Amino acid sequence: MPATSHDTMTMTGRARLIAAARSQPVDTTPVWYMRQAGRCLPEYRALRARHPFMEVARTPELAVEATLMPVERFGVDGAVLFADIMLPLDGMGVPFRIEPKVGPVIDNPIRTRADVERIVIADADEATGYVMDALRLLRRELGDRAAALGFSGAPFTLACYLVEGHGSREYPRAKALMYGDPETWHLLMGKLTEVVTRYLRAQIAAGADAVQLFDSWLGLLGTETYAEFVQPYTARIFADLRGLAPTIHFSTGTTHLLDGIAATGPDLVSVDWRLPIDAAWDRLAPGQGIQGNLDPTLLMGGWDVTRRAADDILRRTAGRPGHIFNLGHGILPETDPAVLEALTGHVHGGALHP
Ligand code: CP3
């Protein structure tokens, strides 16, 4: 397996990732992995054996410790803050918990107009000051080794959890509210858009070099429904953040929505493995970058299949500015960390950047 550092690397990880996010030239392809902070790392499991999830998230020193683990072990160019997409709920007056192996749970879900009206739009620095403190600490500890990446759940994915009360395959209650009571839906989406915008603005002010909007359940929608009930809100967030820091849109299973997603105006679109990366790139707006798109299950097939798939991605992107190498979705817990370490070195040593 290859080493993780190469003589041809002249940029810092931070500079490399930020340049790619702005579609500027780089010395080699920057790389990070969704859900890299946790899941497959034994040092993360040891930390979690001592502290519950929300304690790690709400204690800046612990959150930064978890954030740095994959930077140290894999040599990635992006350090995604240890946090969760649900944290903005802290300021909204909606209690939630994160259950191991289950995910987010909300005991009193949002179901009526009165529930939506009660949602608080708070100041992000007050409501989630611990996230901003963690980012400030991360920025200091990280130096230029890697870019500090902030993130939030997108309004639609947050609405899915808020209405359903927990994770689900189809989010039937959330979709029923959307179709059956569009006025309440739009009120909810408007409020969530304001919360998410404030939250991401505060993260950028606290030192995030780029921010990613996770719209994990977007693939449940058809093209027309997306355009009517979700797209305008996403577009509003990216318009508001324009010029502050590069933005990344994330979703999976959304090949049918790619044109609409591109039109919301993020600097990069994260795509999954359902389309070859060059075919997906053709569907984006001119000058828009791409993040992706290795199938995370491939990594469990061992190093040889992983290397071949990574080479195929690098061949298809061919050194074109604006590519950040990543998985199409999060790392699976069973993944061997040694494969991720080798993959990072392999992408950095990319055949296309001799
Ligand atoms: O990339 C990273 O590792 C940084 C931190 C991060 C977490 N969650 C930590 C976490 C990020 C970026 C997320 C995003 C997130 N959280 C998403 C969007 C990404 C996606 O997969 O589509 C979603 C949908 C959530 C909600 C959520 N939180 C789920 C579905 C779960 C899974 C429960 C489980 O045990 O797998 C969580 C919990 C969670 N968030 C864990 C971590 C490290 C595991 C909890 C633990 O350590 O016990």
Side-chain angles (χ1 to χ4, degrees), residues 155-184:
F156 174 71
T157 289
L158 291 178
C160 283
Y161 282 114
L162 281 169
V163 178
E164 211 68 34
H166 49 76
S168 151
R169 266 180 81 84
E170 303 281 348
Y171 293 92
R173 287 192 184 86
K175 287 175 77 176
L177 178 75
M178 184 177 82
Y179 290 126
D181 187 355
E183 253 185 57
T184 299

Side-chain angles (χ1 to χ4, degrees), residues 35 40 43 63 104 172 174 182 195 199 247-248 252 316 347 354:
R35 303 294 296 272
C40 76
E43 54 269 38
V195 168
Y199 185 62
T247 52
I248 309 170
T252 70
R316 289 174 186 277
V347 172

Side-chain angles (χ1 to χ4, degrees), residues 53-54 57-58 81-92 96 98 127-128 130-131 151 153 158 199:
F53 179 84
M54 283 308 286
R58 289 198 176 117
L81 181 71
F82 182 87
D84 195 82
I85 59 165
M86 302 301 284
L87 299 186
L89 269 63
D90 259 353
M92 291 165 53
F96 70 98
I98 301 220
T128 43
Y130 59 89
V131 171
F151 68 91
L158 291 178
Y199 185 62

Side-chain angles (χ1 to χ4, degrees), residues 232-295:
Y233 299 99
T234 310
R236 207 185 290 170
I237 293 171
F238 290 132
D240 188 272
L241 299 178
R242 181 146 307 283
L244 298 180
T247 52
I248 309 170
H249 181 283
F250 166 83
S251 61
T252 70
T254 48
T255 299
H256 61 297
L257 301 177
L258 261 189
D259 314 72
I261 289 168
T264 62
D267 293 297
L268 299 111
V269 179
S270 193
V271 295
D272 70 14
W273 55 90
R274 287 175 174 84
L275 274 185
I277 195 161
D278 49 341
W281 213 341
D282 287 344
R283 303 257 306 272
L284 304 186
Q288 208 160 35
I290 198 159
Q291 178 174 272
N293 73 336
L294 197 73
D295 182 344

Side-chain angles (χ1 to χ4, degrees), residues 32-39 44 48 51-53 67 70 80-86 98-104 151-153 157 161 167 171 212 214-217 250-252 329-331 333:
W32 69 282
Y33 305 111
M34 239 101 57
R35 303 294 296 272
Q36 67 187 17
R39 287 234 162 157
Y44 171 75
R48 280 283 286 100
H51 308 279
F53 179 84
T67 303
V80 62
L81 181 71
F82 182 87
D84 195 82
I85 59 165
M86 302 301 284
I98 301 220
E99 289 202 358
K101 309 245 179 311
V102 174
F151 68 91
S152 174
T157 289
Y161 282 114
Y171 293 92
Q212 178 157 314
F214 280 95
D215 219 346
S216 302
W217 312 133
F250 166 83
S251 61
T252 70
H329 202 170
I331 293 172

Side-chain angles (χ1 to χ4, degrees), residues 59-73:
T59 311
E61 290 73 22
L62 297 179
V64 169
E65 187 182 333
T67 303
L68 292 175
M69 286 172 180
V71 178
E72 271 144 25
R73 196 190 262 248

